[in-house]
mmCIF file of all heavy atoms in Angstrom:
data_model
loop_
_atom_site.group_PDB
_atom_site.id
_atom_site.type_symbol
_atom_site.label_atom_id
_atom_site.label_comp_id
_atom_site.label_asym_id
_atom_site.label_seq_id
_atom_site.Cartn_x
_atom_site.Cartn_y
_atom_site.Cartn_z
ATOM 1 N N ALA T 319 -10.624 14.484 -0.857
ATOM 2 C CA ALA T 319 -9.599 14.989 0.108
ATOM 3 C C ALA T 319 -8.539 15.718 -0.829
ATOM 4 O O ALA T 319 -7.475 15.387 -0.980
ATOM 5 C CB ALA T 319 -8.909 13.951 0.960
ATOM 6 N N THR T 320 -8.994 16.888 -1.340
ATOM 7 C CA THR T 320 -8.236 17.698 -2.318
ATOM 8 C C THR T 320 -6.993 18.306 -1.575
ATOM 9 O O THR T 320 -6.096 18.741 -2.270
ATOM 10 C CB THR T 320 -9.020 18.789 -2.953
ATOM 11 O OG1 THR T 320 -9.662 19.602 -1.977
ATOM 12 C CG2 THR T 320 -10.179 18.170 -3.834
ATOM 13 N N ASP T 321 -7.117 18.403 -0.250
ATOM 14 C CA ASP T 321 -5.919 18.900 0.586
ATOM 15 C C ASP T 321 -4.892 17.791 0.873
ATOM 16 O O ASP T 321 -3.950 18.057 1.561
ATOM 17 C CB ASP T 321 -6.337 19.621 1.784
ATOM 18 C CG ASP T 321 -7.319 18.706 2.673
ATOM 19 O OD1 ASP T 321 -7.789 17.702 2.192
ATOM 20 O OD2 ASP T 321 -7.552 19.071 3.830
ATOM 21 N N GLY T 322 -5.268 16.509 0.520
ATOM 22 C CA GLY T 322 -4.312 15.463 0.702
ATOM 23 C C GLY T 322 -4.579 14.666 1.958
ATOM 24 O O GLY T 322 -5.280 15.135 2.857
ATOM 25 N N TYR T 323 -4.051 13.447 1.977
ATOM 26 C CA TYR T 323 -4.248 12.619 3.204
ATOM 27 C C TYR T 323 -3.009 12.759 4.185
ATOM 28 O O TYR T 323 -2.891 11.943 5.022
ATOM 29 C CB TYR T 323 -4.400 11.119 2.745
ATOM 30 C CG TYR T 323 -5.807 10.881 2.160
ATOM 31 C CD1 TYR T 323 -6.115 11.087 0.791
ATOM 32 C CD2 TYR T 323 -6.803 10.480 2.966
ATOM 33 C CE1 TYR T 323 -7.368 10.857 0.357
ATOM 34 C CE2 TYR T 323 -8.076 10.186 2.508
ATOM 35 C CZ TYR T 323 -8.403 10.462 1.172
ATOM 36 O OH TYR T 323 -9.635 10.222 0.674
ATOM 37 N N GLY T 324 -2.315 13.723 4.003
ATOM 38 C CA GLY T 324 -1.151 13.957 4.827
ATOM 39 C C GLY T 324 -0.307 15.208 4.312
ATOM 40 O O GLY T 324 -0.653 15.727 3.305
ATOM 41 N N GLU T 325 0.656 15.523 5.124
ATOM 42 C CA GLU T 325 1.525 16.636 4.664
ATOM 43 C C GLU T 325 2.401 16.257 3.507
ATOM 44 O O GLU T 325 2.680 15.072 3.392
ATOM 45 C CB GLU T 325 2.379 17.107 5.823
ATOM 46 C CG GLU T 325 1.667 17.693 6.948
ATOM 47 C CD GLU T 325 0.823 18.957 6.591
ATOM 48 O OE1 GLU T 325 1.386 19.769 5.862
ATOM 49 O OE2 GLU T 325 -0.317 19.022 7.026
ATOM 50 N N PRO T 326 2.665 17.147 2.607
ATOM 51 C CA PRO T 326 3.552 16.837 1.428
ATOM 52 C C PRO T 326 4.838 16.156 1.943
ATOM 53 O O PRO T 326 5.456 16.585 2.917
ATOM 54 C CB PRO T 326 3.738 18.114 0.711
ATOM 55 C CG PRO T 326 2.632 18.924 1.196
ATOM 56 C CD PRO T 326 2.252 18.602 2.615
ATOM 57 N N VAL T 327 5.352 15.248 1.130
ATOM 58 C CA VAL T 327 6.638 14.551 1.415
ATOM 59 C C VAL T 327 7.479 14.678 0.169
ATOM 60 O O VAL T 327 7.161 14.304 -0.950
ATOM 61 C CB VAL T 327 6.303 13.081 1.697
ATOM 62 C CG1 VAL T 327 7.671 12.328 1.966
ATOM 63 C CG2 VAL T 327 5.363 12.829 2.858
ATOM 64 N N GLY T 328 8.637 15.311 0.347
ATOM 65 C CA GLY T 328 9.584 15.506 -0.721
ATOM 66 C C GLY T 328 10.315 14.226 -1.174
ATOM 67 O O GLY T 328 10.235 13.183 -0.557
ATOM 68 N N LEU T 329 11.023 14.384 -2.316
ATOM 69 C CA LEU T 329 11.518 13.119 -2.974
ATOM 70 C C LEU T 329 12.591 12.529 -1.978
ATOM 71 O O LEU T 329 12.522 11.229 -1.846
ATOM 72 C CB LEU T 329 12.149 13.539 -4.280
ATOM 73 C CG LEU T 329 12.959 12.403 -4.987
ATOM 74 C CD1 LEU T 329 12.076 11.225 -5.357
ATOM 75 C CD2 LEU T 329 13.584 12.930 -6.293
ATOM 76 N N LEU T 330 13.458 13.249 -1.410
ATOM 77 C CA LEU T 330 14.518 12.690 -0.613
ATOM 78 C C LEU T 330 13.912 12.012 0.615
ATOM 79 O O LEU T 330 14.420 10.999 1.095
ATOM 80 C CB LEU T 330 15.566 13.777 -0.207
ATOM 81 C CG LEU T 330 16.327 14.333 -1.440
ATOM 82 C CD1 LEU T 330 17.475 15.209 -0.887
ATOM 83 C CD2 LEU T 330 16.764 13.359 -2.427
ATOM 84 N N GLU T 331 12.876 12.660 1.210
ATOM 85 C CA GLU T 331 12.193 11.935 2.291
ATOM 86 C C GLU T 331 11.493 10.726 1.910
ATOM 87 O O GLU T 331 11.385 9.701 2.670
ATOM 88 C CB GLU T 331 11.187 12.899 2.918
ATOM 89 C CG GLU T 331 10.535 12.439 4.214
ATOM 90 C CD GLU T 331 9.537 13.339 4.839
ATOM 91 O OE1 GLU T 331 9.471 14.481 4.404
ATOM 92 O OE2 GLU T 331 8.847 12.887 5.802
ATOM 93 N N GLN T 332 10.964 10.637 0.655
ATOM 94 C CA GLN T 332 10.288 9.452 0.167
ATOM 95 C C GLN T 332 11.408 8.313 0.127
ATOM 96 O O GLN T 332 11.161 7.255 0.478
ATOM 97 C CB GLN T 332 9.718 9.621 -1.200
ATOM 98 C CG GLN T 332 8.465 10.632 -1.161
ATOM 99 C CD GLN T 332 7.981 10.936 -2.594
ATOM 100 O OE1 GLN T 332 8.207 10.196 -3.519
ATOM 101 N NE2 GLN T 332 7.438 12.170 -2.737
ATOM 102 N N ILE T 333 12.548 8.675 -0.372
ATOM 103 C CA ILE T 333 13.676 7.614 -0.441
ATOM 104 C C ILE T 333 14.045 7.271 0.898
ATOM 105 O O ILE T 333 14.258 6.031 1.139
ATOM 106 C CB ILE T 333 14.848 8.248 -1.131
ATOM 107 C CG1 ILE T 333 14.473 8.560 -2.759
ATOM 108 C CG2 ILE T 333 16.082 7.422 -1.107
ATOM 109 C CD1 ILE T 333 15.533 9.308 -3.516
ATOM 110 N N ASP T 334 14.095 8.194 1.823
ATOM 111 C CA ASP T 334 14.434 7.717 3.220
ATOM 112 C C ASP T 334 13.373 6.829 3.830
ATOM 113 O O ASP T 334 13.734 5.830 4.506
ATOM 114 C CB ASP T 334 14.556 9.017 4.192
ATOM 115 C CG ASP T 334 15.816 9.843 3.853
ATOM 116 O OD1 ASP T 334 16.809 9.258 3.232
ATOM 117 O OD2 ASP T 334 15.826 11.014 4.232
ATOM 118 N N ARG T 335 12.076 7.051 3.476
ATOM 119 C CA ARG T 335 11.048 6.195 3.952
ATOM 120 C C ARG T 335 11.215 4.766 3.307
ATOM 121 O O ARG T 335 11.006 3.781 4.010
ATOM 122 C CB ARG T 335 9.664 6.742 3.577
ATOM 123 C CG ARG T 335 9.206 7.990 4.434
ATOM 124 C CD ARG T 335 7.786 8.361 4.025
ATOM 125 N NE ARG T 335 7.252 9.344 4.932
ATOM 126 C CZ ARG T 335 6.068 9.864 4.886
ATOM 127 N NH1 ARG T 335 5.176 9.330 3.905
ATOM 128 N NH2 ARG T 335 5.573 10.713 5.707
ATOM 129 N N ALA T 336 11.588 4.685 2.078
ATOM 130 C CA ALA T 336 11.788 3.396 1.447
ATOM 131 C C ALA T 336 12.920 2.668 2.066
ATOM 132 O O ALA T 336 12.856 1.496 2.274
ATOM 133 C CB ALA T 336 12.092 3.659 -0.100
ATOM 134 N N GLY T 337 13.977 3.423 2.401
ATOM 135 C CA GLY T 337 15.073 2.790 3.114
ATOM 136 C C GLY T 337 14.740 2.244 4.476
ATOM 137 O O GLY T 337 15.290 1.247 4.946
ATOM 138 N N ALA T 338 13.819 3.003 5.129
ATOM 139 C CA ALA T 338 13.370 2.581 6.531
ATOM 140 C C ALA T 338 12.610 1.273 6.524
ATOM 141 O O ALA T 338 12.492 0.554 7.566
ATOM 142 C CB ALA T 338 12.454 3.589 7.111
ATOM 143 N N VAL T 339 12.139 0.771 5.363
ATOM 144 C CA VAL T 339 11.457 -0.505 5.269
ATOM 145 C C VAL T 339 12.345 -1.664 5.602
ATOM 146 O O VAL T 339 12.009 -2.525 6.322
ATOM 147 C CB VAL T 339 10.839 -0.747 3.890
ATOM 148 C CG1 VAL T 339 10.219 -2.151 3.797
ATOM 149 C CG2 VAL T 339 9.826 0.240 3.536
ATOM 150 N N GLY T 340 13.636 -1.473 5.160
ATOM 151 C CA GLY T 340 14.671 -2.520 5.535
ATOM 152 C C GLY T 340 14.710 -3.828 4.688
ATOM 153 O O GLY T 340 15.564 -4.541 4.887
ATOM 154 N N GLU T 341 13.635 -3.870 3.819
ATOM 155 C CA GLU T 341 13.587 -5.057 2.929
ATOM 156 C C GLU T 341 13.638 -4.796 1.477
ATOM 157 O O GLU T 341 13.586 -5.718 0.626
ATOM 158 C CB GLU T 341 12.184 -5.820 3.251
ATOM 159 C CG GLU T 341 12.009 -6.168 4.700
ATOM 160 C CD GLU T 341 12.656 -7.514 5.073
ATOM 161 O OE1 GLU T 341 13.349 -8.011 4.160
ATOM 162 O OE2 GLU T 341 12.389 -7.967 6.111
ATOM 163 N N LEU T 342 13.703 -3.533 1.161
ATOM 164 C CA LEU T 342 13.651 -3.113 -0.231
ATOM 165 C C LEU T 342 15.107 -2.922 -0.839
ATOM 166 O O LEU T 342 15.986 -2.432 -0.095
ATOM 167 C CB LEU T 342 12.835 -1.790 -0.434
ATOM 168 C CG LEU T 342 11.484 -1.846 0.055
ATOM 169 C CD1 LEU T 342 10.745 -0.519 -0.275
ATOM 170 C CD2 LEU T 342 10.654 -3.022 -0.666
ATOM 171 N N SER T 343 15.331 -3.292 -2.049
ATOM 172 C CA SER T 343 16.647 -3.091 -2.700
ATOM 173 C C SER T 343 16.618 -2.075 -3.738
ATOM 174 O O SER T 343 17.522 -1.432 -4.105
ATOM 175 C CB SER T 343 17.150 -4.422 -3.324
ATOM 176 O OG SER T 343 17.282 -5.377 -2.329
ATOM 177 N N VAL T 344 15.410 -1.835 -4.394
ATOM 178 C CA VAL T 344 15.294 -1.014 -5.520
ATOM 179 C C VAL T 344 13.994 -0.222 -5.496
ATOM 180 O O VAL T 344 13.055 -0.615 -4.805
ATOM 181 C CB VAL T 344 15.346 -1.777 -6.856
ATOM 182 C CG1 VAL T 344 16.656 -2.509 -7.020
ATOM 183 C CG2 VAL T 344 14.096 -2.689 -7.064
ATOM 184 N N VAL T 345 14.026 0.997 -6.159
ATOM 185 C CA VAL T 345 12.801 1.763 -6.266
ATOM 186 C C VAL T 345 12.631 2.272 -7.664
ATOM 187 O O VAL T 345 13.575 2.418 -8.416
ATOM 188 C CB VAL T 345 12.776 3.010 -5.304
ATOM 189 C CG1 VAL T 345 12.670 2.625 -3.832
ATOM 190 C CG2 VAL T 345 14.075 3.861 -5.454
ATOM 191 N N ASP T 346 11.432 2.489 -8.018
ATOM 192 C CA ASP T 346 11.077 3.123 -9.351
ATOM 193 C C ASP T 346 10.753 4.570 -9.113
ATOM 194 O O ASP T 346 9.921 4.867 -8.206
ATOM 195 C CB ASP T 346 9.758 2.355 -9.874
ATOM 196 C CG ASP T 346 9.304 2.867 -11.171
ATOM 197 O OD1 ASP T 346 9.704 3.902 -11.649
ATOM 198 O OD2 ASP T 346 8.424 2.146 -11.764
ATOM 199 N N LEU T 347 11.389 5.430 -9.813
ATOM 200 C CA LEU T 347 11.250 6.934 -9.604
ATOM 201 C C LEU T 347 10.501 7.592 -10.775
ATOM 202 O O LEU T 347 10.657 7.326 -11.753
ATOM 203 C CB LEU T 347 12.735 7.479 -9.532
ATOM 204 C CG LEU T 347 13.661 7.051 -8.514
ATOM 205 C CD1 LEU T 347 15.002 7.637 -8.689
ATOM 206 C CD2 LEU T 347 13.166 7.317 -7.009
ATOM 207 N N ASN T 348 9.568 8.432 -10.360
ATOM 208 C CA ASN T 348 8.933 9.323 -11.286
ATOM 209 C C ASN T 348 9.876 10.326 -11.731
ATOM 210 O O ASN T 348 10.806 10.782 -11.072
ATOM 211 C CB ASN T 348 7.767 10.032 -10.648
ATOM 212 C CG ASN T 348 6.627 9.002 -10.202
ATOM 213 O OD1 ASN T 348 6.492 8.833 -9.077
ATOM 214 N ND2 ASN T 348 5.939 8.483 -11.221
ATOM 215 N N TRP T 349 9.606 10.824 -13.103
ATOM 216 C CA TRP T 349 10.514 11.910 -13.646
ATOM 217 C C TRP T 349 9.520 12.768 -14.529
ATOM 218 O O TRP T 349 8.750 12.220 -15.233
ATOM 219 C CB TRP T 349 11.656 11.339 -14.364
ATOM 220 C CG TRP T 349 12.573 12.435 -14.760
ATOM 221 C CD1 TRP T 349 13.659 12.935 -13.991
ATOM 222 C CD2 TRP T 349 12.613 13.147 -15.986
ATOM 223 N NE1 TRP T 349 14.262 13.927 -14.637
ATOM 224 C CE2 TRP T 349 13.735 14.120 -15.842
ATOM 225 C CE3 TRP T 349 11.801 13.138 -17.021
ATOM 226 C CZ2 TRP T 349 13.996 14.941 -16.862
ATOM 227 C CZ3 TRP T 349 12.087 14.052 -18.137
ATOM 228 C CH2 TRP T 349 13.141 14.958 -17.979
ATOM 229 N N PRO T 350 9.624 14.091 -14.508
ATOM 230 C CA PRO T 350 10.558 14.902 -13.734
ATOM 231 C C PRO T 350 10.419 14.760 -12.241
ATOM 232 O O PRO T 350 9.286 14.375 -11.747
ATOM 233 C CB PRO T 350 10.252 16.307 -14.142
ATOM 234 C CG PRO T 350 9.568 16.206 -15.502
ATOM 235 C CD PRO T 350 8.838 14.956 -15.330
ATOM 236 N N PHE T 351 11.464 15.119 -11.452
ATOM 237 C CA PHE T 351 11.372 15.063 -9.995
ATOM 238 C C PHE T 351 10.614 16.347 -9.558
ATOM 239 O O PHE T 351 11.213 17.283 -9.191
ATOM 240 C CB PHE T 351 12.784 15.121 -9.375
ATOM 241 C CG PHE T 351 13.665 13.877 -9.877
ATOM 242 C CD1 PHE T 351 14.956 14.052 -10.226
ATOM 243 C CD2 PHE T 351 13.076 12.638 -9.943
ATOM 244 C CE1 PHE T 351 15.812 13.096 -10.693
ATOM 245 C CE2 PHE T 351 13.931 11.521 -10.465
ATOM 246 C CZ PHE T 351 15.259 11.803 -10.742
ATOM 247 N N VAL T 352 9.376 16.165 -9.568
ATOM 248 C CA VAL T 352 8.437 17.353 -9.251
ATOM 249 C C VAL T 352 8.644 17.885 -7.878
ATOM 250 O O VAL T 352 8.742 17.237 -6.847
ATOM 251 C CB VAL T 352 6.941 16.959 -9.362
ATOM 252 C CG1 VAL T 352 6.092 18.140 -8.975
ATOM 253 C CG2 VAL T 352 6.668 16.402 -10.778
ATOM 254 N N GLY T 353 8.853 19.226 -7.707
ATOM 255 C CA GLY T 353 9.121 19.854 -6.462
ATOM 256 C C GLY T 353 10.438 19.703 -5.925
ATOM 257 O O GLY T 353 10.805 20.248 -4.791
ATOM 258 N N PHE T 354 11.254 18.980 -6.612
ATOM 259 C CA PHE T 354 12.657 18.731 -6.165
ATOM 260 C C PHE T 354 13.717 19.625 -6.934
ATOM 261 O O PHE T 354 13.661 19.664 -8.107
ATOM 262 C CB PHE T 354 13.050 17.300 -6.290
ATOM 263 C CG PHE T 354 14.469 17.000 -5.902
ATOM 264 C CD1 PHE T 354 14.827 17.046 -4.622
ATOM 265 C CD2 PHE T 354 15.369 16.502 -6.787
ATOM 266 C CE1 PHE T 354 16.109 16.810 -4.183
ATOM 267 C CE2 PHE T 354 16.560 16.245 -6.459
ATOM 268 C CZ PHE T 354 17.076 16.330 -5.118
ATOM 269 N N GLU T 355 14.511 20.368 -6.256
ATOM 270 C CA GLU T 355 15.323 21.325 -6.841
ATOM 271 C C GLU T 355 16.792 20.940 -6.843
ATOM 272 O O GLU T 355 17.747 21.695 -7.301
ATOM 273 C CB GLU T 355 15.192 22.868 -6.189
ATOM 274 C CG GLU T 355 13.867 23.403 -6.291
ATOM 275 C CD GLU T 355 13.774 24.751 -5.681
ATOM 276 O OE1 GLU T 355 14.758 25.225 -5.050
ATOM 277 O OE2 GLU T 355 12.672 25.326 -5.779
ATOM 278 N N GLY T 356 17.036 19.743 -6.375
ATOM 279 C CA GLY T 356 18.385 19.314 -6.377
ATOM 280 C C GLY T 356 18.802 18.581 -7.694
ATOM 281 O O GLY T 356 18.177 18.800 -8.678
ATOM 282 N N THR T 357 19.877 17.876 -7.691
ATOM 283 C CA THR T 357 20.478 17.251 -8.867
ATOM 284 C C THR T 357 20.230 15.742 -8.812
ATOM 285 O O THR T 357 19.859 15.126 -7.847
ATOM 286 C CB THR T 357 21.939 17.483 -8.906
ATOM 287 O OG1 THR T 357 22.601 16.850 -7.866
ATOM 288 C CG2 THR T 357 22.325 19.046 -8.812
#
Side-chain angles (χ1 to χ4, degrees):
T320 56
D321 55 344
Y323 284 87
E325 295 300 317
V327 180
L329 176 59
L330 299 188
E331 185 180 350
Q332 292 171 31
I333 293 173
D334 289 341
R335 286 183 173 187
V339 175
E341 301 278 6
L342 303 179
S343 300
V344 299
V345 290
D346 179 347
L347 301 175
N348 295 109
W349 191 85
F351 302 136
V352 177
F354 177 65
E355 298 181 356
T357 65

